[in-house]
Amino acid sequence: MKKKIALISGITGQDGFLLAKFLIEKNYIVHGIKRRSSSLHSTVRLDTIYQDKFVKNQSLHLHYGDVSDPAFCCRILKDIKPDELYHLAAQSHVAISFELPHYTASVNSLGTLNLLEAIRINSLEKKTRFYNAGSSEMYGSLKGSSQNEKTPFCPQSPYATSKLFSYWITKNYRESYKIFASNGILFNHESYSRGETFVTRKITMFVAKYNKLKKGTLYLGNLSSKRDWGFAGDYVQGMWKIIQHPKADDFVLATGKSYSVRDFLREAFKCINIEIVFKGKGSKEIGFDLKTKKIIVKSIAHYYRPNEVTNLIGDYSKAKKLLKWKPKTKFKALVKMMVSSDIKGYLQQN
Ligand code: NAP
Ligand code: F7E
């Protein structure tokens, strides 16, 4: 049987790597877009699935490119003609989007438009199914009990606003040009491959180091903000299911539960047998080891955002009903998985 061809923008990121691995296991030929970098570091996640150019029947192919370049987008679609295009490339850091709003809008909003236009210009409307990586950040802070596909959007950052454009342009191209174009509205999903400046990984990497050195302070921002945290491995399967669905549509993927940054810290330190206790409020809050009384965590104003999304909880019942998707990994198991992986990594490197 002819193998399906997938193209992934953002293949060097957390989700791109996990999705590529999943699709290769499903017997796809995977093409990925990587940006030119002065070091090899940007492709480090792909090391375990990398295949040399000269290997026969190669299932992973990497191409230099950038989604903010319309000519490149047009050319890659013309050359690859993928059955499925997973558009994951983005400036994905919310805090950084306040520092680089123009750049964030340019990559996240126009990048999506460039790929959709490339499908249209190459007359691939009937051939290529398009997945767009939408985000729970588009909702802004929780108002009711949970957020689903019918909840009004209220973006609170340049990142969220840029993603709202990409969400609507995806819907617009679906309705105007009959392209199979779907949005995943994904709540936070984490893993051992999560970027090191996102709060969960920042915590688990610190815990791994603290486990060995028994010293140091972890500086964080708002410890009270709450997120619906799931495991990225479960979510890439959801992306695939969204694309296999008979009809293009928009789907929330989430766990339906939310925990604070403080909860995540407690659980992560528990993995190294430290009970952490908190004292103080806001940017004066500290976390210390109940046994030794050593201060380990400090909240500082530097890491606060100009506008904070205080709480997010997703309602994934549509995906459960129509896609038969549900998250398999619970919060505690996720934290444990990330801490264990970082402890192993730290011990190997030091
Ligand atoms: P990530 O780890 O930050 O990866 C982002 C990827 O996009 C990287 O491969 C990055 O390349 C690439 N990229 C950035 N700008 C690009 C450009 N101009 N052209 C081509 N590639 C570019 O993000 P992630 O966590 O995997 O998330 C994947 C997608 O889902 C993103 O769109 C994100 O906004 C969205 N999302 C994520 C979550 C989550 O919780 N993880 C939730 C909702 C939505 P480099 O490696 O070269 O930087
Ligand atoms: O922050 C708080 C911070 O940066 C989570 C992206 O994948 O998910 C992600 O966006 C919470 C926020 O993720 C620090 O204020 C406290 O309330 O890990 P984060 P995010 O902003 O939720 C959404 C769904 C996406 O779409 C994005 O692409 O943690 N927080 N102290 C901190 N956050 C960071 N990064 N660093 C801190 O020191």
Side-chain angles (χ1 to χ4, degrees):
M1 212 170 76
K2 211 171 155 250
K3 285 187 178 190
K4 272 196 178 172
I5 297 174
L7 173 63
I8 304 177
S9 76
I11 195 165
T12 57
Q14 169 189 255
D15 291 4
F17 157 61
L18 292 170
L19 178 66
K21 195 164 171 278
F22 172 75
L23 293 177
I24 290 169
E25 280 160 16
K26 280 207 160 297
N27 213 22
Y28 276 65
I29 294 176
V30 174
H31 291 260
I33 300 168
K34 67 169 175 179
R35 295 193 288 179
R36 194 265 158 185
S37 162
S38 65
S39 78
L40 287 176
H41 187 78
S42 73
T43 51
V44 77
R45 285 190 181 96
L46 302 176
D47 279 355
T48 54
I49 54 170
Y50 181 79
Q51 294 163 356
D52 199 82
K53 265 199 170 49
F54 311 105
V55 163
K56 256 196 174 168
N57 302 323
Q58 207 186 338
S59 49
L60 177 68
H61 306 257
L62 297 177
H63 309 265
Y64 284 111
D66 195 302
V67 296
S68 61
D69 175 346
F72 163 76
C73 291
C74 234
R75 184 169 54 75
I76 190 93
L77 263 292
K78 179 171 171 270
D79 290 350
I80 310 293
K81 295 185 180 50
D83 300 297
E84 299 172 9
L85 166 50
Y86 296 87
H87 172 41
L88 311 181
Q91 190 305 89
S92 72
H93 204 284
V94 176
I96 292 172
S97 79
F98 286 99
E99 289 178 37
L100 298 173
H102 187 281
Y103 172 76
T104 303
S106 158
V107 172
N108 298 4
S109 303
L110 298 183
T112 310
L113 177 61
N114 290 339
L115 288 171
L116 285 164
E117 268 294 90
I119 293 178
R120 201 167 71 90
I121 290 166
N122 288 299
S123 306
L124 292 168
E125 293 94 332
K126 290 205 171 76
K127 162 91 178 159
T128 303
R129 291 186 167 206
F130 181 78
Y131 171 88
N132 178 50
S135 165
S136 52
E137 283 291 307
M138 299 188 301
Y139 293 121
S141 295
L142 180 72
K143 286 167 194 94
S145 56
S146 62
Q147 292 145 319
N148 66 22
E149 296 80 2
K150 294 197 174 110
T151 306
F153 296 120
C154 186
Q156 289 178 218
S157 64
Y159 169 79
T161 310
S162 72
K163 282 286 179 180
L164 210 53
F165 177 90
S166 82
Y167 168 89
W168 282 113
I169 202 71
T170 298
K171 228 170 149 60
N172 192 236
Y173 270 57
R174 180 200 308 162
E175 287 160 6
S176 308
Y177 306 115
K178 309 284 173 268
I179 295 175
F180 188 108
S182 295
N183 284 296
I185 307 173
L186 272 52
F187 284 63
N188 297 52
H189 44 279
E190 320 292 312
S191 74
Y192 39 82
S193 262
R194 183 57 145 152
E196 294 159 10
T197 59
F198 294 98
V199 78
T200 55
R201 190 76 198 289
K202 190 171 162 184
I203 294 171
T204 59
M205 286 182 74
F206 178 86
V207 168
K209 195 167 156 196
Y210 196 88
N211 180 49
K212 180 84 175 136
L213 304 180
K214 308 281 182 254
K215 63 176 188 195
T217 312
L218 174 61
Y219 295 96
L220 295 171
N222 188 352
L223 306 188
S224 298
S225 61
K226 294 171 93 178
R227 290 290 182 273
D228 179 331
W229 275 304
F231 170 49
D234 294 341
Y235 288 55
V236 297
Q237 295 191 20
M239 293 175 191
W240 178 77
K241 287 194 163 194
I242 289 173
I243 284 294
Q244 308 315 307
H245 192 59
K247 198 171 140 264
D249 204 345
D250 307 321
F251 292 95
V252 162
L253 302 184
T255 71
K257 294 202 166 60
S258 91
Y259 294 89
S260 66
V261 174
R262 204 178 292 110
D263 294 331
F264 197 101
L265 280 161
R266 271 197 208 99
E267 212 47 54
F269 277 100
K270 231 191 248 173
C271 299
I272 57 164
N273 300 316
I274 290 179
E275 189 177 340
I276 188 159
V277 180
F278 294 91
K279 207 172 85 181
K281 277 215 163 94
S283 60
K284 298 274 178 289
E285 185 166 355
I286 55 161
F288 61 91
D289 181 340
L290 182 65
K291 218 189 265 166
T292 63
K293 310 289 180 241
K294 257 198 232 170
I295 296 174
I296 312 181
V297 176
K298 281 186 178 172
S299 171
I300 57 167
H302 173 81
Y303 286 117
Y304 276 64
R305 295 172 183 183
N307 195 359
E308 177 66 88
V309 171
T310 50
N311 193 7
L312 290 167
I313 307 179
D315 163 11
Y316 64 95
S317 39
K318 180 175 171 186
K320 190 175 173 192
K321 187 170 168 216
L322 298 182
L323 306 176
K324 312 276 175 266
W325 178 88
K326 63 176 186 187
K328 295 185 200 115
T329 315
K330 300 263 184 307
F331 178 70
K332 283 187 184 183
L334 171 67
V335 180
K336 205 167 164 195
M337 177 201 304
M338 291 177 70
V339 172
S340 307
S341 164
D342 278 331
I343 288 180
K344 209 167 131 203
Y346 187 82
L347 294 176
Q348 270 165 7
Q349 280 164 26
N350 296 278

